[in-house]
Amino acid sequence: MNAKELLVQARAQGRPVLDELSGKSLLAAYGITVPQSLSVRTAGDVDAAFAKLRAPVVVKIMSPDILHKSDAGGVKVGLKSAAEVKDAINTMAASPQIKATHIDGYLIEEMAPAGQEIVIGGLRDPYFGPLVMVGLGGIFVEVLRDVSFRICPITRIDAEEMIDELKGAAVLAGARGRKPASRAAMVDALLKVGGEKGLLMTHADEIKEADINPMIVSETAAVAVDARFIL
Ligand code: ADP
Ligand code: MG
C-alpha cells in the first residue's frame, strides 16, 4: 500500500491515529530512514523474524491503547538473540499494564546507529496550515521546551535556521565531547517532512499532527525510530 492509500484507508476505517508501523511506512515513502522491522503476533514467530534482521534489535509493544510504550514497559532495546527477544515479549505479555490492553503484536526492529535524539513534529494551524517543528530529544523538549517552528513549506535555509535557533544547537554540533549529529541529515529530514514536496504539505488535509520522537542522528545518518500520526 502506498502512503496515500494508507492514509485514505485509516480514515475510511475511522482510525484517528496511524500505528507505529504504518507511520513508519509513511515516513519511508517520503525518503526518511526508518529501521528495518518486522511484526510478530507471539513469541512463537520470533525465530523466523529475527533471522531476517541484523542484531541487536529492539522489541516494542504494538497496541492502540498504549501511547507511551516505554512508560508501560513496552520497549526493550539492545537484544542480541532470538531468545532475548522471546524473553522480552513474554515479560511484556505478562505485565499487568499490558495484559489489560488490546495487543496487536510486537514490533522487532533493528537498532539505529548511536547518536543524539531529536524530535521532528508537525501540526496544523487553522490559519497558517501545516507547521513543522524541531527540537532536541528528551528533557530538552519535555522540560525546557527548546523547539523551533516554521510555517510550511520550508526551504533549506529555513531548515538550517531552525536548527541554529535551538538553545541546544551547540549540543547537536558536538559540545562537550559529544559526537556531532549530522547537520546535513537533519536538514534533509526536515525538508522531507516540511518542505514543498514534503509529507506535511502533500497530506495537509489528512494529517492533523505528526510526531517523530525520537529521530536518532549519528555523525552520518538520521533514523526515525518512533512515529505517531493523528489524522
Ligand atoms: P515510546 O516513545 O512510545 O516510549 P519509542 O519507540 O520512542 O517508544 O522508544 C523509546 C526509546 O527507545 C526511544 O526514545 C529510543 O531512545 C529507544 N529506541 C527505540 N527504538 C530504537 C531503535 N530502533 N534504535 C535505537 N534506539 C531505539
Ligand atoms: Mg517515542
Side-chain angles (χ1 to χ4, degrees), residues 101-187:
T101 66
H102 171 84
I103 301 174
D104 285 334
Y106 300 86
L107 190 64
I108 308 178
E109 70 178 24
E110 295 181 357
M111 292 283 286
Q116 301 199 47
E117 297 195 356
I118 66 166
V119 178
I120 294 182
L123 50 90
R124 196 167 54 191
D125 181 273
Y127 299 102
F128 297 116
L131 307 180
V132 60
M133 178 275 264
V134 67
L136 268 78
I139 61 158
F140 288 96
V141 165
E142 281 152 29
V143 182
L144 305 174
R145 308 263 171 242
D146 183 17
V147 294
S148 52
F149 282 95
R150 286 291 183 288
I151 297 169
C152 298
I154 56 166
T155 64
R156 183 166 291 276
I157 292 170
D158 294 325
E160 306 253 2
E161 285 175 358
M162 287 175 78
I163 294 167
D164 293 335
E165 262 171 41
L166 295 172
K167 294 189 197 78
V171 176
L172 286 177
R176 299 230 144 212
R178 291 183 186 227
K179 292 230 165 79
S182 166
R183 188 179 169 86
M186 288 188 285
V187 168

Side-chain angles (χ1 to χ4, degrees), residues 63-101:
S63 163
D65 305 327
I66 297 176
L67 289 188
H68 301 289
K69 300 178 293 287
S70 351
D71 292 354
V75 178
K76 191 100 170 86
V77 302
L79 305 172
K80 296 187 198 71
S81 66
E84 282 181 31
V85 173
K86 286 180 215 172
D87 274 351
I89 289 176
N90 289 330
T91 305
M92 286 177 196
S95 104
Q97 211 178 337
I98 288 176
K99 235 183 184 154
T101 66

